[in-house]
Amino acid sequence: MNFIKKNGAGILLCIALAIPAALLGKRFPIIGGPVFAIIMGMLLAPWVKKMSACEAGVKYTSKKILQYAVVLLGFGMNLHVVMETGKQSLPIILCTITTSLVIAYVLHRALRIPDHISILIGVGSSICGGSAIAATAPVIDADEDEVAQAISVIFLFNILAALLFPALGSALGFSTTSGEAFGIFAGTAVNDTSSVTAAASTWDSMYGLGSQTLDKAVTVKLTRTLAIIPITLALALMRAKKAETKAGERVSLKKVFPFFILFFIGASLITTIAVSAGVPNETFLPLKKLSKFFIVMAMGAIGLNTDVVKLIKSGGRPILLGFSCWIGITVVSLAMQHLMHIW
C-alpha cells in the first residue's frame, strides 16, 4: 500500500505517456516508441517537475522498470537459434564491438567527454542501441540527462543508417538474389532493432526477397544483444574497483553487481529449454511486447527528468563520438564481410 501511495501517481503518468508513444512507434517504426516517449517526456518536463506527487514514481520507472524491461528481453531469445545462426556473424560482431568501445575510450580521453556518456554511446553503438543503454545505465549509475543524451545520439545515427544503408548496399554491389550479405551488414552495423528492421525490410522490398534479409538481420542482431552480459558484468567490476580506489577501502561487489542480468540470462534459458521441449515461440510474445512497453515507459520517465537546455548545450562532443563509432562500425563490418567472402 505504501508503494502505491509513494509511486502510483508517477507510474501512472509514465504509462499514460507510453501508450501514445508506443502507438506512434508502431506507426513510424523507423523512429520507434522509445524515442517518441523521451521527446514527449522532455516536452512535459517543465510542468511535471512541479508535481512533487509524481517524482518518486517517475524515478522508480526510470530505474527499476528499466531493469525489468531488460530481464523480459531474455524471453525473446532462443539461444540455440541465436548461436547456430550467429556463428557466421560472430567474428564480425566481436570486431565491431571492439572497434566501437576503443573509439569511445580514445575520444573520451581526447575530447574529455564525461565517463558515463562515453560508455553509454560506445555500448549503445556497438551492441543494440536503446536496449544496451537500458542495461548499462543502472550498472554505471548514469543519471537521466546522460541516458537521454546517449539515446538522442544513437537515434540520430539509427535514422541515417536506416535511410542510407540500402542505397549503400546497392552501390557496393551486395547480392540482390539473397538477403544474407545485406542482412549481416544491417545486423552488425545498425544500432537499434527498429532501424535494423527498417533497413532489412527495405532491402527485401527493393529486390522481392520476402523476409530473407529481415530474418538474417534480426538473428544477427539478437546475437549482438548477448554481448550485454559480459559488458555489464565487466562494467560492474570496474565500478567496484573504482569505488575502492576512491574510498580507500574494500567495496562489496554485491552492491554494484547487476543482478538483473542474471534474470535476463535465466529468461533466455527458460525460453531455450521451453522451445526445445516443443513450446511454440509465440508463447513468449506477450512478454516480449511487455518488455518493449516497459522500455518506452522508462524512456518517457527519463525524458521527464531531463534538462533539455543542458542537453543542447553539451550535445556537440557526444554527437561527434556517436558519429565516429558509427563510421568505425560500418567500415569494420564491410571490411570483415569482404575478408570472409560474404560480400
Side-chain angles (χ1 to χ4, degrees):
M1 199 67 184
N2 284 337
F3 173 83
I4 295 172
K5 187 177 179 181
K6 181 182 178 183
N7 300 301
I11 293 173
L12 284 174
L13 174 63
C14 293
I15 291 172
L17 193 153
I19 291 170
L23 292 173
L24 283 168
K26 286 182 181 178
R27 181 71 179 83
F28 304 100
I30 196 172
I31 298 174
V35 174
F36 279 117
I38 208 165
I39 291 170
M40 289 165 66
M42 287 177 185
L43 292 174
L44 291 172
W47 292 276
V48 173
K49 283 177 180 177
K50 297 174 184 176
M51 300 161 60
S52 58
C54 295
E55 185 179 346
V58 170
K59 191 168 282 293
Y60 180 87
T61 303
S62 70
K63 299 290 184 184
K64 291 295 183 182
I65 298 293
L66 194 57
Q67 293 182 21
Y68 301 153
V70 175
V71 172
L72 291 174
L73 276 176
F75 288 107
M77 293 192 165
N78 181 338
L79 298 178
H80 286 320
V81 174
V82 170
M83 292 308 229
E84 192 59 40
T85 314
K87 281 179 186 175
Q88 182 186 29
S89 60
L90 190 58
I92 304 172
I93 291 169
L94 292 174
C95 288
T96 53
I97 288 174
T98 302
T99 298
S100 180
L101 294 178
V102 168
I103 289 172
Y105 178 75
V106 170
L107 290 185
H108 153 64
R109 299 297 293 269
L111 301 177
R112 296 182 181 177
I113 299 170
D115 289 1
H116 290 169
I117 291 175
S118 300
I119 292 169
L120 292 175
I121 292 175
V123 169
S125 299
S126 62
I127 300 176
C128 52
S131 299
I133 291 171
T136 305
V139 177
I140 62 174
D141 200 25
D143 64 31
E144 283 83 359
D145 287 342
E146 291 165 336
V147 174
Q149 186 90 71
I151 290 284
S152 302
V153 169
I154 294 297
F155 163 67
L156 172 62
F157 296 108
N158 277 338
I159 295 293
L160 288 175
L163 294 174
L164 298 177
F165 278 11
L168 177 62
S170 295
L172 292 173
F174 275 51
S175 171
T176 57
T177 57
S178 164
E180 181 180 40
F182 189 81
I184 291 173
F185 176 52
T188 54
V190 183
N191 302 333
D192 205 70
T193 304
S194 58
S195 296
V196 170
T197 302
S201 298
T202 300
W203 190 264
D204 279 332
S205 299
M206 285 167 64
Y207 299 108
L209 297 174
S211 64
Q212 278 186 47
T213 314
L214 180 60
D215 292 344
K216 189 73 177 180
V218 168
T219 306
V220 171
K221 181 71 172 55
L222 287 175
T223 308
R224 277 173 74 190
T225 302
L226 288 176
I228 285 174
I229 299 167
I231 292 290
T232 50
L233 295 179
L235 287 170
L237 286 169
M238 288 168 62
R239 185 181 166 201
K241 286 186 177 179
K242 193 172 181 180
E244 282 180 20
T245 304
K246 280 186 177 179
E249 57 186 34
R250 187 167 181 77
V251 175
S252 171
L253 181 60
K254 187 177 179 181
K255 290 182 179 179
V256 296
F257 188 84
F259 283 98
F260 67 95
I261 290 296
L262 297 183
F263 292 113
F264 167 83
I265 297 168
S268 304
L269 291 172
I270 289 169
T271 304
T272 304
I273 294 166
V275 171
S276 298
V279 176
N281 280 307
E282 291 73 21
T283 305
F284 298 99
L285 197 57
L287 294 173
K288 288 166 65 178
K289 287 183 177 179
L290 183 59
S291 168
K292 290 179 182 178
F293 186 74
F294 275 1
I295 287 178
V296 175
M297 273 182 68
M299 291 304 120
I302 285 165
L304 290 170
N305 278 327
T306 298
D307 184 335
V308 180
V309 175
K310 182 180 174 184
L311 196 69
I312 294 169
K313 283 182 178 178
S314 61
R317 288 178 297 168
I319 289 172
L320 177 58
L321 173 58
F323 174 74
S324 302
C325 289
W326 182 57
I327 293 295
I329 287 170
T330 302
V331 170
V332 169
S333 176
L334 290 171
M336 287 295 294
Q337 283 194 73
H338 197 62
L339 287 170
M340 295 169 69
H341 306 293
I342 296 170
W343 156 53

